Amino acid sequence: KQEVTQIPAALSVPEGENLVLNCSFTDSAIYNLQWFRQDPGKGLTSLLLIQSSQREQTSGRLNASLDKSSGRSTLYIAASQPGDSATYLCAVSPSYGKLTFGQGTILTVHP
Amino acid sequence: GAVVSQHPSWVICKSGTSVKIECRSLDFQATTMFWYRQFPKQSLMLMATSNEGSKATYEQGVEKDKFLINHASLTLSTLTVTSAHPEDSSFYICSARDRTESNEKLFFGSGTQLSVL
């Protein structure tokens, strides 16, 4: 059974810091890996999707890497802003659509 | 980007009643929708896969007779929690894929917080 673990569970940083969120998964036979942002009352927003054959994806200040063999992914956020405050979720998929989520990292960026 | 509308956002009901949650794709057609739930301080867990025009596929441990899923059109899937009990209190959220898009991003609704008294 696939298990996804995210570290740290919570993170509080001052504005402007670069930060790294970690995700690990137990079964390397994945289809893809996604990072989501969850805001209260607003559901989930897909940030980055990495196919199993890819090593990383970038979007603006966000960069996600994937090391499938070791079962790890990191989400790098550059120059953090208060608006980045949210819960960040990592999810892996053994086949299309069936996501297994981690418990998330609660990020707080204070001015 | 694609928008998935989910209603209601929250609902409080008495034990024994049924609750229907709607998930609509507003500007795209979704052949497949997925239903997840999240208990407090736990991960989102897939409940079932809803396919337009056919029966839903339920994950292990999810009672199909309790959680009725209907996906009668390409833009609407509904989840009905029948005879709800306090242990069904949870955050329910749907997701869908734009069938015309080549990428595989899933778009999520805003979720429904269900509280059963």
Side-chain angles (χ1 to χ4, degrees):
Chain A
K1 177 185 175 184
Q2 179 74 271
E3 292 183 3
V4 180
T5 303
Q6 289 186 245
I7 295 174
L11 184 63
S12 181
V13 300
E15 181 176 6
E17 274 203 10
N18 301 324
L19 51 97
V20 176
L21 308 182
N22 297 291
C23 171
S24 61
F25 46 95
T26 55
D27 187 347
S28 62
I30 63 171
Y31 184 64
N32 60 40
L33 180 145
Q34 294 188 64
W35 283 93
F36 294 89
R37 170 181 173 142
Q38 184 175 26
D39 293 282
K42 293 185 179 181
L44 274 67
T45 302
S46 180
L47 298 173
L48 291 164
L49 182 152
I50 310 176
Q51 299 288 0
S52 61
S53 58
Q54 297 175 325
R55 297 283 293 183
E56 67 176 346
Q57 284 287 329
T58 298
S59 176
R61 294 182 292 108
L62 305 179
N63 175 275
S65 67
L66 173 64
D67 184 341
K68 200 174 76 164
S69 61
S70 67
R72 296 179 188 277
S73 175
T74 60
L75 177 66
Y76 177 81
I77 302 177
S80 58
Q81 302 171 359
D84 295 331
S85 298
T87 298
Y88 289 81
L89 298 171
C90 167
V92 297
S93 177
S95 60
Y96 182 73
K98 294 189 172 186
L99 302 176
T100 301
F101 284 86
Q103 290 186 294
T105 294
I106 301 172
L107 173 65
T108 303
V109 181
H110 48 87
Chain B
V3 176
V4 175
S5 175
Q6 185 173 343
H7 293 281
S9 299
W10 56 271
V11 59
I12 301 173
C13 67
K14 292 182 178 180
S15 184
T17 60
S18 294
V19 175
K20 179 184 284 188
I21 302 170
E22 292 190 348
C23 181
R24 292 181 184 272
S25 56
L26 295 185
D27 49 2
F28 67 99
Q29 293 182 327
T31 307
T32 303
M33 292 187 178
F34 304 90
W35 287 95
Y36 292 82
R37 66 181 169 186
Q38 183 178 33
F39 293 108
K41 298 186 179 181
Q42 295 188 24
S43 306
L44 282 158
M45 298 291 289
L46 178 66
M47 297 176 65
T49 302
S50 167
N51 298 293
E52 185 268 335
S54 64
K55 292 183 178 180
T57 303
Y58 291 82
E59 295 301 300
Q60 189 174 10
V62 178
E63 301 174 58
K64 63 179 181 180
D65 294 331
K66 181 169 184 63
F67 299 99
L68 301 180
I69 292 174
N70 183 284
H71 193 163
S73 78
L74 286 171
T75 59
L76 175 64
S77 176
T78 61
L79 168 67
T80 301
V81 184
T82 62
S83 186
H85 288 93
E87 58 264 32
D88 298 322
S89 298
S90 183
F91 180 73
Y92 294 84
I93 192 167
C94 65
S95 70
R97 175 196 178 193
D98 184 344
R99 67 195 293 246
T100 63
E101 287 288 323
S102 59
N103 70 64
E104 297 181 4
K105 283 188 176 181
L106 290 172
F107 300 95
F108 282 78
S110 55
T112 298
Q113 184 64 54
L114 171 64
S115 296
V116 184
L117 305 178

